[in-house]
Amino acid sequence: REGRVTEPSLFKRSQITPSSRDKEMADAVRDVVSPKKSVLQNTSAIDKKIRQTNNGVKEYVAQNKVPFNTNQLKSKLNSGRDELKLVFASDANAAKTYDAVVEEFMRNVGGKDTAGLLDARQGFDKIPAIKKLLDSQGLGENVKKEVVLTARRKANEYIAELLPEGNPYKASLLQETRMIEALENIAEKNRGMIGKNNLQILAQRYPILKWVIGGVATGIAGGAGVGVGSTIINSSD
């Protein structure tokens, strides 16, 4: 339906070409990954870029606080619903869950400026209700991942909109969710090469990864089995 399947020829099978989401993931980490590096070096490089982005933005907004409009923030978060129509169609509870995630995020925003907003976004995966969602068995793992990542990305987009033009962190902040997805793809496909200890460290920093990596690797009782969540909406995988 998306027109991403190439025509087969006499000597070549048809292929599924990369989606726009795949290309965004590649662009987000193009400057830090390389086929010449090991899997562990590439995951470490992506992790480092994500943390540098977060630390840089945090330092900047702490010194250059800008107030934000609560209604605009909620509107931005709610705009993620339009991007999740396929996910909502696959699970009757997904839309309600997304609304609950938005409400919980709004409830945890402290100061009504960019510094308070960034604090809430950086602690997003660790908000008790969000963490409970990630640990729950109620929704499919791919659905939970899409709901949480979309809300997280919309928060980042709103923060980026509040940064001045030319700010060095604006573009990286917009790419951050795609960086996490790229990290997830590499970790999920190369668990054995990365190793249990490194997987646990990544899961602690990015709780959204724990189900993709596998419950055994992350030490979570009752966790999903290895390979869960490997199907990504709109991905060529």
Side-chain angles (χ1 to χ4, degrees):
R1 288 199 302 269
E2 295 177 358
R4 295 195 289 118
V5 180
T6 62
E7 289 291 333
S9 65
L10 184 60
F11 301 105
K12 189 176 182 180
R13 295 189 304 175
S14 62
Q15 296 179 325
I16 300 177
T17 58
S19 67
S20 58
R21 182 166 175 171
D22 294 326
K23 293 174 182 177
E24 288 172 4
M25 277 191 274
D27 288 340
V29 297
R30 191 181 303 279
D31 60 332
V32 294
V33 300
S34 168
K36 296 180 181 180
K37 295 178 181 178
S38 69
V39 169
L40 187 55
Q41 286 174 324
N42 279 325
T43 55
S44 295
I46 297 172
D47 174 40
K48 182 178 179 181
K49 183 178 180 181
I50 294 171
R51 288 186 288 119
Q52 285 178 335
T53 297
N54 277 320
N55 292 337
V57 175
K58 187 169 186 175
E59 184 176 336
Y60 178 84
V61 298
Q63 298 175 7
N64 302 273
K65 296 179 183 180
V66 177
F68 68 87
N69 183 290
T70 301
N71 290 331
Q72 288 179 354
L73 170 60
K74 189 167 186 177
S75 178
K76 171 61 74 172
L77 294 172
N78 284 332
S79 69
R81 291 179 116 268
D82 294 333
E83 299 179 17
L84 293 174
K85 289 180 180 178
L86 286 175
V87 174
F88 293 165
S90 70
D91 194 307
N93 293 317
K96 293 180 181 178
T97 300
Y98 187 80
D99 292 341
V101 166
V102 169
E103 290 297 331
E104 195 62 30
F105 179 78
M106 294 292 298
R107 194 177 297 117
N108 280 270
V109 176
K112 302 301 181 182
D113 54 37
T114 45
L117 179 55
L118 185 66
D119 281 342
R121 208 289 297 147
Q122 290 186 333
F124 184 65
D125 297 342
K126 298 177 180 64
I127 294 174
I130 305 299
K131 193 171 182 297
K132 184 177 180 180
L133 166 66
L134 293 174
D135 291 343
S136 72
Q137 302 290 326
L139 290 174
E141 305 311 327
N142 193 58
V143 172
K144 287 190 288 191
K145 184 198 73 171
E146 292 296 324
V147 164
V148 173
L149 281 180
T150 299
R152 191 183 194 281
R153 178 163 50 82
K154 287 302 174 181
N156 271 353
E157 286 179 6
Y158 188 65
I159 295 170
E161 289 173 6
L162 296 174
L163 297 178
E165 289 299 325
N167 186 281
Y169 303 108
K170 198 178 184 81
S172 295
L173 195 59
L174 290 172
Q175 291 181 325
E176 188 180 86
T177 299
R178 296 300 184 230
M179 293 183 218
I180 293 175
E181 289 184 87
L183 185 64
E184 168 200 316
N185 278 359
I186 296 174
E188 194 268 339
K189 292 175 176 62
N190 299 278
R191 288 179 293 269
M193 296 178 68
I194 295 175
K196 180 178 177 180
N197 290 339
N198 290 315
L199 288 174
Q200 288 176 328
I201 291 171
L202 286 176
Q204 288 172 355
R205 288 179 181 161
Y206 311 101
I208 195 68
L209 298 182
K210 63 187 176 184
W211 293 103
V212 178
I213 292 169
V216 175
T218 54
I220 300 168
V226 169
V228 170
S230 62
T231 302
I232 300 176
I233 297 295
N234 289 334
S235 170
S236 63
D237 184 14

